[in-house]
């Protein structure tokens, strides 16, 4: 046989070997990626995570009561009493803030001494 035919057969064989190797590695990688995606989905599809049970911690009975009231009232309607209480709370905040007196611009004088003594 001539050298050109031997080189052509060897290079064709190497090409086919690389092609088969690529196809096998492609499908193995795809399978591995699907398994990783499935594991991630299982990890983040936890019922506790959906319910946000460990997203916050209540430290005392009063805080637990406030959180329970907040979550229990999600489906209820707003009543006139709720609106009156909200307006009274807003008025109380405005009263507190309106009592703060501003003395105007305060001028600070003196010499600055840095930590390193310069």
């Amino acid at each position: 046989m001539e050298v050109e035919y031997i080189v052509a057969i060897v290079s064709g064989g190497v090409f086919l070997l690389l092609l088969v190797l690529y196809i096998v590695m492609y499908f193995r990688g795809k399978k591995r990626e699907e398994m990783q995606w499935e594991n991630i989905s299982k990890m983040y599809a936890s019922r506790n995570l959906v319910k946000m049970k460990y997203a916050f911690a209540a430290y005392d009975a009063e805080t637990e009561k406030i959180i329970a009231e907040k979550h229990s009232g999600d489906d209820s309607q707003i009543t006139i009493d709720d609106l009156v209480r909200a307006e009274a709370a807003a008025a109380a905040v405005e009263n507190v803030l309106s009592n703060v007196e501003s003395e105007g611009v305060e001028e600070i004088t003196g010499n600055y001494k840095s930590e390193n003594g310069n």
Side-chain angles (χ1 to χ4, degrees):
M1 247 187 189
E2 294 182 20
V3 177
E4 292 97 16
Y5 294 123
I6 294 173
V7 171
I9 291 172
V10 169
S11 63
V14 170
F15 176 75
L16 286 176
L17 180 68
L18 290 175
L19 181 65
V20 169
L21 185 64
Y22 171 75
I23 291 171
V24 169
M25 294 301 290
Y26 174 77
F27 284 113
R28 287 180 74 192
K30 191 168 186 161
K31 185 177 178 182
R32 185 181 311 124
E33 185 178 321
E34 288 174 1
M35 288 177 61
Q36 286 176 344
W37 182 253
E38 183 178 331
N39 289 337
I40 289 172
S41 296
K42 285 179 185 177
M43 183 185 314
Y44 289 108
S46 168
R47 292 179 188 214
N48 289 333
L49 184 62
V50 171
K51 292 180 182 179
M52 301 297 282
K53 286 200 172 192
Y54 48 85
F56 57 88
Y59 297 106
D60 57 0
E62 182 180 355
T63 307
E64 288 178 0
K65 180 181 174 187
I66 292 170
I67 291 171
E69 287 176 359
K70 182 177 179 183
H71 289 299
S72 67
D74 290 342
D75 297 334
S76 63
Q77 293 182 348
I78 297 176
T79 63
I80 296 295
D81 294 333
D82 294 335
L83 293 175
V84 169
R85 274 187 249 136
E87 288 178 8
V93 169
E94 286 180 16
N95 287 339
V96 168
L97 294 177
S98 66
N99 290 339
V100 175
E101 295 181 11
S102 175
E103 296 178 3
V105 178
E106 184 176 329
E107 185 177 338
I108 300 173
T109 59
N111 296 326
Y112 174 74
K113 295 181 181 177
S114 65
E115 292 178 6
N116 59 8
N118 291 334

